[in-house]
């Protein structure tokens, strides 16, 4: 890899911290998600089985997470031993502002994050900070409808400005929103959205996304005033959509799928909605409520880099009736007959990473940043104190090879690579601990039971060796591993 390059791993607050009401933290939308199939479904308030009508037996995995709120010091020590030079994590908005409407930050939450940053600095690990990772204060959902309201946007901007001021000397790379395009697939998780059966869902989803786009632009504008050296990235759930056949109708179906995936990053990078957006609104019988100055704000405050998650590619066809489907990141896609999903909940497509990097760079011509990639599997088993995961080693090795080809043969500027769930965590899509991603095993089951001990998997040692070759042999001292804050 071309140096300097950020090698690391990623987690989120809502999937790891636990302690969901501890020390002044407020509940979030994510804390409402039970361990059942309602997690990814739209929330209809006029459906008595919605996730607000909980039963005593319901288990909510985020309430416990992996107790990162208390174990972060030991976890950072494991990351330092691993040899990463960067770490992506999110700040929990309701841990700092319990309802989202306070004007003073929660001192306990603030002390926690200050110590987290201090320990990363001592370990010579650069933080990559996500300000909103599928999490907002629950009161903004129940009282205002989540991101469907401009009030939520205003409260988020106030929160983000506080965080950027508070940690302006600690962070260079900021990601205002995680996987913004997922609001179209998992609207309660992505935007705290609720519906009634009479609502135009698309209208509410695109309206909420418009507010997130505006908030993103506000954060860029404010952040650049706080520190001109701040770098801001859009972040999307990516993966090129292939046509199922060369039939032009299938090619067009794949194009439409990619349009949906890339619409919001188009706005964040280019500063305006794509040409087809007005026709999309008319076709689906809705309009977006825009205030004077909205479009100008978007035009003047675009992002510096394009960050994305990549787990697998997707596949589309004009006629899907007789075709098999398979789960991917937050939604289903057609099963690609040329790909396997052995040892993975999703189909594995290493070349698809290179294809996706080329797709995004050709479209945007901005530096790329892979901030999530990894294999989620239920095959990890702790046996006699060890976890043997050769399938994860192969997954990482194959994707690293394609990443290197994208740089060396395709000329794509790449900031870094963050392995998703580098420490096992609660899955977004299923809420399970048993769907494991990490090179560090966490001894907890799907109901939060276990010792919570951290155990290095075989892949930990493989990644450690790989990093030794690609960082230390690159001649970087500990100080040089960190990006300089101007």
């Amino acid at each position: 890899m071309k140096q300097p390059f950020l090698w690391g791993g990623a987690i989120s607050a809502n999937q790891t911290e636990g302690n969901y009401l501890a020390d002044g933290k407020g509940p979030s939308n994510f804390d409402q998600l039970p361990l059942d199939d309602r997690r990814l479904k739209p929330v209809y308030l006029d459906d008595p089985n919605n996730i607000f009508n909980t039963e005593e037996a319901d288990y909510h995995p985020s309430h416990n997470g992996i107790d990162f709120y208390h174990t972060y010091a030991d976890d950072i020590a494991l990351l330092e031993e691993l040899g990463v030079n960067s770490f992506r994590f999110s700040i929990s908005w309701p841990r700092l502002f319990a309802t989202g409407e306070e004007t003073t930050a929660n001192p306990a939450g603030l002390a926690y994050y200050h110590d987290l940053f201090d320990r990363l600095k001592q370990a010579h690990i650069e933080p990559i900070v996500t300000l909103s990772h599928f999490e907002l204060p629950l009161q903004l959902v129940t009282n205002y409808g989540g991101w469907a309201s401009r009030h939520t946007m205003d409260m988020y901007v106030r929160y983000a400005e506080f965080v950027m001021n508070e940690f302006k000397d600690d962070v260079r790379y900021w990601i205002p929103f995680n996987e913004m395009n997922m609001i179209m697939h998992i609207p309660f998780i992505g935007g705290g959205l609720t519906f009634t059966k009479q609502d135009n869902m698309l209208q509410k989803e695109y309206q909420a996304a418009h507010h997130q786009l505006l908030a993103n632009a506000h954060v860029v504008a404010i952040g650049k005033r706080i520190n001109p050296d701040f770098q801001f990235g859009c972040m999307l759930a990516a993966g090129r959509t292939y046509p199922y056949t060369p039939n032009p109708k299938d090619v067009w179906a794949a194009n439409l799928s990619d349009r949906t995936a890339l619409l919001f990053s188009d706005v964040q990078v280019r500063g305006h909605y794509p040409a087809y957006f007005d026709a999309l609104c008319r076709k689906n019988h809705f309009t977006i409520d825009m205030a004077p100055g909205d479009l100008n704000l978007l035009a003047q405050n675009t992002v510096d880099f394009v960050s994305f998650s990549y787990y697998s590619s997707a596949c589309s066809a004009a006629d899907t009736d007789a075709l098999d489907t398979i789960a991917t990141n937050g939604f289903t896609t057609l099963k690609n007959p040329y790909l396997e999903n052995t040892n993975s909940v999703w189909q594995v497509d290493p070349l698809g990473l290179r294809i996706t990097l080329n797709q995004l760079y050709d479209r945007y011509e901005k530096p790329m940043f892979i901030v999530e990639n990894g294999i989620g599997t239920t095959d990890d088993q702790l046996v006699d104190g060890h976890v043997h995961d050769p399938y994860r080693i192969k997954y990482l090795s194959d994707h690293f090879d394609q990443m290197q080809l994208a740089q060396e043969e395709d000329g794509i500027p790449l900031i870094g690579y963050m392995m998703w769930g580098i420490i096992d965590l609660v899955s977004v899509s299923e809420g399970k601990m048993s769907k494991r991603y990490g090179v560090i095993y966490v001894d907890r089951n799907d109901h939060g039971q276990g010792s919570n001990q951290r155990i290095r998997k075989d892949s930990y040692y493989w990644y450690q060796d790989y990093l030794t070759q690609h960082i230390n042999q690159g001649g970087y001292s500990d100080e040089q591993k960190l990006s300089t804050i101007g």
Side-chain angles (χ1 to χ4, degrees), residues 320-335:
T320 62
D321 287 346
L323 301 176
D324 292 334
T325 61
I326 192 169
T328 185
N329 183 18
F331 59 97
T332 58
T333 186
L334 291 183
K335 189 172 184 178

Side-chain angles (χ1 to χ4, degrees), residues 127-175:
I128 316 297
V129 174
T130 308
L131 289 167
S132 177
H133 193 123
F134 292 159
E135 185 175 33
L136 71 157
L138 188 61
Q139 181 164 305
L140 295 179
V141 175
T142 56
N143 289 8
Y144 302 98
W147 277 97
S149 167
R150 290 183 82 102
H151 179 72
T152 297
M153 176 188 76
D154 293 338
M155 294 302 96
Y156 168 84
V157 171
R158 187 167 72 184
Y159 147 74
E161 182 172 9
F162 172 84
V163 171
M164 291 188 293
N165 269 308
E166 190 73 17
F167 301 109
K168 62 180 180 294
D169 297 323
D170 300 303
V171 183
R172 183 184 186 196
Y173 292 103
W174 299 91
I175 299 171

Side-chain angles (χ1 to χ4, degrees), residues 57 126 211 221 258 273 312 320 329 356 409:
E126 177 160 7
H211 294 154
D258 279 345
Y273 282 93
S312 183
T320 62
N329 183 18
T356 299
E409 295 189 6

Side-chain angles (χ1 to χ4, degrees), residues 118 171 186 390:
D118 287 346
V171 183
I186 44 175

Side-chain angles (χ1 to χ4, degrees), residues 49-79:
N49 193 39
N50 73 61
I51 60 176
F52 287 98
N53 296 326
T54 59
E55 302 290 337
E56 188 174 342
D58 286 346
Y59 177 69
H60 296 81
S62 67
H63 294 190
N64 294 314
I66 59 169
D67 197 27
F68 185 76
Y69 184 66
H70 290 121
T71 64
Y72 65 94
D74 291 338
D75 289 333
I76 290 170
L78 280 170
L79 294 176

Side-chain angles (χ1 to χ4, degrees), residues 42-50 194-199 201:
V43 177
Y44 291 98
L45 297 179
D46 46 2
D47 178 353
N49 193 39
N50 73 61
T194 58
F195 306 94
T196 66
K197 293 178 181 176
Q198 287 71 44
D199 282 340
M201 286 185 63

Side-chain angles (χ1 to χ4, degrees), residues 211-250:
H211 294 154
Q212 290 188 346
L213 289 167
L214 293 173
N216 193 91
H218 277 298
V219 168
V220 172
I222 293 167
K224 294 291 188 180
R225 291 198 296 269
I226 293 171
N227 186 340
D229 290 330
F230 280 173
Q231 295 289 292
F232 292 94
C234 63
M235 198 287 197
L236 66 149
R240 185 67 183 261
T241 305
Y242 305 144
Y244 194 77
T245 74
N247 185 327
K249 292 181 179 180
D250 287 353

Side-chain angles (χ1 to χ4, degrees), residues 245-259:
T245 74
N247 185 327
K249 292 181 179 180
D250 287 353
V251 175
W252 184 244
N255 181 66
L256 292 178
S257 176
D258 279 345
R259 273 188 177 183

